[in-house]
Amino acid sequence: MAEFATYRGGPTSTGGASTGAGSSGQVEWYQTSGIVGGGGGGAASYSAADEYAGAYYPAAAPGGADFGSFEDEPPLLEELGIDLGGIMRRTVGVLTGRLKGPDMEELDVGGPLFFSAVFGASHLLWQGKVHFGIILGWSVLAAIVLWFVVKNISGNSPDVRACDLSSCYSVLGYALLPMVAFSILSVLVPKGYLAAAAGALVSLWCAILAARLFVRRSPILKHYRTLIAYPCLLNYAAFALLTLY
């Protein structure tokens, strides 16, 4: 069987039969029918419109699930590359000093961004100051400085894995966790020498954590731990001053 459509300006005919088109430019549809199975079991006919609809609107797949349905889509956080379980394990590892493990090998950027947001929110709640832009800007600037230092120390050594900007920002962001806790608890510490001493200790803790994370990811940097910790200490000291004053 066959079907076709013609676009003609006048009457057309097929098989000796004439069909009169009402006006010029009219689309004419032709249907032919055939005997299914060749035994007179019935006639089956369809038009080109049915085939057009079937080509662009396919039937549902077996099992009742349509192609590209929402049931087959992965979760949104998985598409964004955010692993909440991994972030929680890294957070516990950094706060407890357990930096060895598979979770500390591959750091992410989502966790540091979240910690920066919590750090800024604590300043907004306790001090009434909006420091989100300052915190993010200082973090990016510190990551650029650390990237420059690590790059010049290691040169083109293939053993250094933490020499790109995203890794430097991730390391500094996870090492910021003690400072975030200090910012949240700073409302309980009276302003004065005690708060300044606590801020200095927390800054030193963050710098040591950052240096250990850099050395953990790139053992070639173990002889330059002090050189790496110094700019980290300056960065976290600035955050401590921002928290206290």
Side-chain angles (χ1 to χ4, degrees), residues 86 89-90 93-94 97-107 161 212-213 216-217:
R89 290 189 294 270
R90 296 184 194 102
V94 168
R98 300 176 181 177
L99 305 181
K100 296 182 179 180
D103 292 323
M104 304 305 298
E105 296 292 336
E106 298 295 336
L107 300 180
R161 295 176 296 166
R212 289 183 60 189
L213 283 173
R216 175 74 178 85
R217 292 176 59 81

Side-chain angles (χ1 to χ4, degrees), residues 102-128:
D103 292 323
M104 304 305 298
E105 296 292 336
E106 298 295 336
L107 300 180
D108 61 299
V109 180
L113 286 176
F114 175 73
F115 302 146
S116 299
V118 174
F119 191 38
S122 65
H123 287 190
L124 181 63
L125 290 176
W126 305 148
Q127 303 177 16

